[in-house]
Amino acid sequence: MDEVEVVVAHSERATLRVGDVFLKVDADQARIDAEIEAMSRVPVPTPQVLWHQPPVLAITALPGTTLGRLGGPSTGSPAGWAAAGAAIRKLHDAPLPPWRGRAGRSVDALAAELDDECASLVTNGVLPADLVTRNRRVAEAALRPWTPAFTHGDLQIAHVFVDGDEVTGIIDWSEAGQGDPLYDLATFTPGHEEHLGDVIAGYGADIDIDVIHAWWSLRSLLAVRWLSEHGFDPFAPGCEVDVLRSLM
């Protein structure tokens, strides 16, 4: 193998691919520890851990492809999206881990972080005030009591692999733990609302769509500045800023 592919890289962590092996380099050892522990507990397919030598974790590649990406077209069938919903439900029904994940932050902490971030976005001219104000109101519906589930915590569409209508694996478990299950469903579906019904059908439960929309607003508002500062473009077509505009 004579090529190393940089999958993602920023100041906190990087992921490289060498053939069929992924090498994850993380400055925070606790994240790698959480990822390994989560993968050992979940009832859904995950990569195989090959070895772990801090700060590097080596895992196998997964068969299949993702259903698409944020800002791009969906490449998956309705059956594939429904299969992803069923896998997410299986995860959420699993026994709770003993730790909280990213989806398990308290309502008070989230509200405070959201208020600070909204003020910063407007004060620094990152986003128009009306866009921020409207989405802050939409986000309010996510700030409610919830029953904890085993959540992935960063269930982006790029982290779920399928082959036809079968989920072949889910990657990137460093944010996993107890949390709000609708956070996972909302993280998986922004920019692909046309498949939200397929995901919910596979999930097999009544879902409050207003809360899904609220999480789309909340996550996008919190992500815009971080993404811009770490070399990503939340203003690209179909990405976080367009998600916010879609909720106006």
Side-chain angles (χ1 to χ4, degrees), residues 164-243:
D165 59 357
E166 178 184 357
V167 173
T168 57
I170 301 175
I171 63 172
D172 285 0
W173 292 87
S174 61
E175 308 288 355
Q178 293 187 30
D180 178 358
L182 295 195
Y183 181 95
D184 274 352
L185 290 172
T187 303
F188 187 64
T189 51
H192 294 284
E193 186 166 9
E194 73 277 11
H195 287 294
L196 179 58
D198 299 323
V199 174
I200 293 173
Y203 192 78
D206 291 333
I207 299 297
D208 189 334
I209 301 299
D210 287 342
V211 176
I212 298 293
H213 290 167
W215 274 122
W216 287 354
S217 285
L218 196 154
R219 292 189 73 259
S220 296
L221 287 168
L222 293 183
V224 167
R225 184 170 57 87
W226 186 95
L227 291 168
S228 298
E229 292 173 353
H230 287 80
F232 303 99
D233 185 7
F235 291 87
C239 292
E240 284 76 10
V241 174
D242 273 356
V243 171

Side-chain angles (χ1 to χ4, degrees), residues 99-153:
W99 69 91
R100 280 202 175 207
R102 184 165 183 79
R105 289 169 291 172
S106 74
V107 169
D108 289 343
L110 270 174
E113 182 181 359
L114 183 60
D115 287 342
D116 290 345
E117 195 63 32
C118 287
S120 176
L121 291 170
V122 173
T123 300
N124 295 305
V126 178
L127 293 175
D130 61 338
L131 183 64
V132 173
T133 300
R134 166 58 180 163
N135 276 275
R136 175 62 182 84
R137 287 199 295 267
V138 173
E140 191 70 29
L143 304 175
R144 85 245 183 263
W146 40 266
T147 300
F150 197 145
T151 52
H152 181 282

